[in-house]
Amino acid sequence: MKPDTTAVPFTAYQKLLIALLALLQFTVVLDFMVLSPLGDILMKSLDMTPSGFGMVVSSYAFSAGASGLLAAGFADKFDRKKLLIFFYTGFIVGTLCCGLANSFWMLLGARIFTGLFGGVIGAISLAVVTDVFEINQRGRVMGVVQMGFAASQVLGIPVGLYFANKWGWHAPFIMIVLLAIVIGLLVLLRMQPVTKHIGLQNDENPFVHLWHSLANKKYQTGFLATAFLSIGGFMMMPFGSAYLINNIGISQHQLPTVFLFSGLASIIIMPMIGKLSDKYDKFKLFAAGSALAIIMILIYTQLPPIPLWEVVVINMIMFIGIMGRIIPSTALTTAIPEMRDRGAFMSVNSSLQQMAGGIAALCAGLIVTQPHKHGPLQHYDILGYVVCTAIVLCLYMVYRVSIMVKNKPAAPSAVQQTDSLNEALS
């Protein structure tokens, strides 16, 4: 089936919803992303080894994965807006606990609690996107919503690092809490209920509903594609700041510059990729991003000490490749489930994504070693080879998803459904 490339315009409410989801994504991603640039500070302040820091990062991912599985059976039983507000409230409380932690174990517990709630928010947001937006709109929607990732680098991480350098590492988490409270109120007051999926349910028992989603062969292909995407995208991230400081010679005060320009590059390129993925073959775009990411990762993980501007340029190009994979692959994956299964599918998908990210962080902590606090990281080049292997495996899985989506009968648009109803009435 040839994909329809007709651009479908957004309504005023859809534009508002895109903005709200992008803001939600910004805070959730920032909460996770800010740990990476704070990694060197945290390892020195709380006397953590690389494996201990990997445990802090992965604890969020594993708890998010567990909560995603538990929530999957119930995700299609309730109004998606109410679920979004419930889990976002828990996320705010958990982030506040991170900002109040004063030891390794307190921080570890706070990250576990935050993951229980924060890990489900992305799945619910994707289910909302799939319910409200047609397939020919989703690339552009993902381009904007995923800008939360880039915006967290451009705005959040530099500001967070500035606060951390001035008032301590707790300050960025308090900043996220204050911002999230405002965004949560906007969602509560302006977002409309999302309930069309409730009337389509066949399984009364939520655990039966979960099992049917897990046992679906087509859904399993999407789950595997997302898991490899997560491993390839996040395995190097936990030790990014420590690598730049201890191996490349970048100072703690220069880190915001690196993240600022990397994020700017992502902000510029991601809406462009979103538009292209609505117009051209999504898998081809994904393959191009994967090739660029592999090349730049192999260069980046074997860098000698180089000037700041060279680090900035290499990071910008590498992030364009990594981010360029997320939009087309996510747009393809959201087209797999039927409407009645979308909440469960997105929850399981998010759960596996988080767990894969947690495994990636743990493995990274086992691969990378550091002889002492101020010594260079060892075996970072090996980590790069592992990441590139995961990207190649992901390429194959996304290809299978692409074939599956192209062979799937096209669902009638809202306009077509209205025309059919009018014909029947007349």
Side-chain angles (χ1 to χ4, degrees), residues 170-189:
H170 303 81
F173 293 105
I174 303 299
M175 174 194 73
I176 294 171
V177 168
L178 296 176
L179 180 60
I181 290 173
V182 175
I183 295 170
L185 289 173
L186 286 173
V187 172
L188 177 65
L189 298 174

Side-chain angles (χ1 to χ4, degrees), residues 213-237:
S213 299
L214 289 171
N216 190 305
K217 297 292 184 182
K218 293 181 179 180
Y219 294 178
Q220 289 172 5
T221 303
F223 297 152
L224 286 173
T226 298
F228 281 115
L229 181 71
S230 182
I231 292 172
F234 295 104
M235 198 171 210
M236 295 195 312
M237 198 171 295

Side-chain angles (χ1 to χ4, degrees), residues 21-39 42 53 57 60 88 91 95 98 111 114 118 121 145-164 169-180 183 234 237 259-260 263 354:
L21 294 177
L23 289 170
L24 282 170
Q25 182 79 347
F26 171 73
T27 53
V28 174
V29 171
L30 179 58
D31 177 83
F32 179 79
M33 288 284 292
V34 80
L35 272 180
S36 177
L38 292 178
L42 287 170
F53 181 65
V57 175
Y60 176 101
Y88 198 57
F91 163 79
T95 304
C98 293
R111 295 309 294 165
T114 307
I121 294 172
V145 173
Q146 293 295 342
M147 275 176 60
F149 188 101
S152 69
Q153 291 182 283
V154 173
L155 301 173
I157 290 180
V159 172
L161 283 171
Y162 173 78
F163 285 177
W169 63 265
H170 303 81
F173 293 105
I174 303 299
M175 174 194 73
I176 294 171
V177 168
L178 296 176
L179 180 60
I183 295 170
F234 295 104
M237 198 171 295
F259 287 102
L260 172 65
Q354 298 288 350

Side-chain angles (χ1 to χ4, degrees), residues 19-228:
L20 291 176
L21 294 177
L23 289 170
L24 282 170
Q25 182 79 347
F26 171 73
T27 53
V28 174
V29 171
L30 179 58
D31 177 83
F32 179 79
M33 288 284 292
V34 80
L35 272 180
S36 177
L38 292 178
D40 192 65
I41 298 176
L42 287 170
M43 284 193 284
K44 290 180 171 71
S45 300
L46 301 180
D47 197 26
M48 279 191 283
T49 62
S51 60
F53 181 65
M55 186 184 300
V56 169
V57 175
S58 62
S59 64
Y60 176 101
F62 286 129
S63 65
S67 67
L69 282 177
L70 291 173
F74 300 89
D76 293 306
K77 304 288 185 183
F78 301 98
D79 175 6
R80 303 206 198 282
K81 175 185 174 180
K82 292 180 180 178
L83 284 176
L84 204 57
I85 293 171
F86 171 77
F87 283 102
Y88 198 57
T89 301
F91 163 79
I92 293 172
V93 173
T95 304
L96 177 62
C97 293
C98 293
L100 300 177
N102 57 16
S103 69
F104 166 75
W105 291 107
M106 286 184 67
L107 181 61
L108 182 66
R111 295 309 294 165
I112 292 172
F113 184 88
T114 307
L116 288 173
F117 291 89
V120 185
I121 294 172
I124 301 171
S125 298
L126 282 179
V128 171
V129 168
T130 313
D131 283 354
V132 177
F133 299 91
E134 297 180 20
I135 184 67
N136 289 355
Q137 296 177 310
R138 290 177 204 158
R140 284 168 287 159
V141 177
M142 294 302 173
V144 176
V145 173
Q146 293 295 342
M147 275 176 60
F149 188 101
S152 69
Q153 291 182 283
V154 173
L155 301 173
I157 290 180
V159 172
L161 283 171
Y162 173 78
F163 285 177
N165 290 331
K166 190 165 185 177
W167 292 299
W169 63 265
H170 303 81
F173 293 105
I174 303 299
M175 174 194 73
I176 294 171
V177 168
L178 296 176
L179 180 60
I181 290 173
V182 175
I183 295 170
L185 289 173
L186 286 173
V187 172
L188 177 65
L189 298 174
R190 302 301 301 275
M191 182 177 172
Q192 297 175 5
V194 183
T195 58
K196 288 183 180 179
H197 59 283
I198 297 177
L200 302 175
Q201 299 307 301
N202 296 324
D203 301 317
E204 294 184 5
N205 190 312
F207 297 103
V208 173
H209 185 52
L210 170 60
W211 173 250
H212 286 168
S213 299
L214 289 171
N216 190 305
K217 297 292 184 182
K218 293 181 179 180
Y219 294 178
Q220 289 172 5
T221 303
F223 297 152
L224 286 173
T226 298
F228 281 115

